Amino acid sequence: ITLSNCIKSGFPFYKDEKIAVFIDGSNLYSSARTLGFDIDYEKLLKWLEEKSRLVRAFYYTAVIDDNDYSPVKPLVDWLNYNGYTTVTKPAKELIDENGKKRIRSDMTVDIVVDIMDIADKVNHIILFSGDGVFKKMIESVQRKGVRVTVISTLNSQPPMMSDELRKQADYFIDIADIKSAISRKG
């Protein structure tokens, strides 16, 4: 069975299982951009709801807290009104060794705590991130009997999906394989 066939048949999802979705916003954004498309979050939510009983969809991102326009703020507002639970924190602006301004955000602890909190209430966790830092948390959740699917991409240079995370997850779906189901037209 190939991954494409698994997705078409609904595998690794079961209609009666309860799922929770955790989206590392900056990681998903980077993966989609690398593959040349934008995520349609309404289509993404519908795609997940068709697969099983969606308990909650979390979206994590850092927000620049100043008076300037931030493109992520309208997205966060839209997500809040359209079925997502958003978790934000202020981004930190740093100056690198070349004097260039960089934005730093780390939502890892927030994601881990929320996953551990909900693990006893769901059958399956879907994590949109390829960051290997989540490996140990996935091991812990699996010991509770929860299946974990990780969605990221290997179709980039370098791959956005860490090898250790992919090995630990019960299932891996390359975002390139579901692009048509979740991409914005236009």
Side-chain angles (χ1 to χ4, degrees), residues 165-176:
L165 187 65
R166 186 168 56 104
K167 286 178 185 174
Q168 186 62 48
D170 295 297
Y171 305 100
F172 166 70
I173 297 174
D174 197 300
I175 195 167

Side-chain angles (χ1 to χ4, degrees), residues 12-169:
F13 302 98
Y14 300 104
K15 217 41 176 155
D16 62 340
E17 73 180 346
K18 294 186 283 185
I19 66 169
V21 177
F22 297 84
I23 300 171
D24 177 344
S26 64
N27 195 286
L28 178 58
Y29 175 81
S30 296
S31 295
R33 286 306 247 192
T34 299
L35 297 174
F37 72 97
D38 291 319
I39 301 293
D40 182 324
Y41 289 97
E42 185 174 8
K43 284 174 66 175
L44 174 59
L45 203 59
K46 286 179 182 171
W47 181 77
L48 291 162
E49 290 170 338
E50 289 170 1
K51 305 286 179 217
S52 59
R53 291 176 36 211
L54 181 62
V55 173
R56 182 89 51 225
F58 293 91
Y59 182 91
Y60 299 81
T61 192
V63 177
I64 298 171
D65 251 353
D66 61 15
N67 293 334
D68 293 342
Y69 172 77
S70 171
V72 78
K73 288 179 183 179
L75 173 62
V76 169
D77 287 342
W78 186 91
L79 292 170
N80 276 323
Y81 285 108
N82 290 281
Y84 289 85
T85 299
T86 59
V87 180
T88 62
K89 68 164 79 165
K92 294 182 176 129
E93 289 188 37
L94 306 168
I95 306 297
D96 70 12
E97 63 276 357
N98 299 322
K100 202 171 191 180
K101 189 184 341 182
R102 302 269 182 207
I103 304 298
R104 185 171 185 280
S105 64
D106 189 358
M107 302 299 292
T108 304
V109 172
D110 303 77
I111 294 170
V112 168
V113 168
D114 288 346
I115 287 175
M116 297 307 291
D117 280 350
I118 206 167
D120 295 329
K121 298 165 187 69
V122 297
N123 309 105
H124 193 166
I125 287 173
I126 291 50
L127 175 63
F128 281 84
S129 181
D131 194 333
V133 73
F134 293 113
K135 180 187 181 296
K136 189 69 177 168
M137 180 268 312
I138 288 176
E139 284 179 34
S140 178
V141 168
Q142 288 169 326
R143 284 192 298 272
K144 295 174 182 248
V146 177
R147 293 182 315 124
V148 179
T149 295
V150 175
I151 301 176
S152 186
T153 190
L154 294 170
N155 291 304
S156 61
Q157 285 303 331
M160 302 284 292
M161 181 68 206
S162 78
D163 199 41
E164 62 270 7
L165 187 65
R166 186 168 56 104
K167 286 178 185 174
Q168 186 62 48

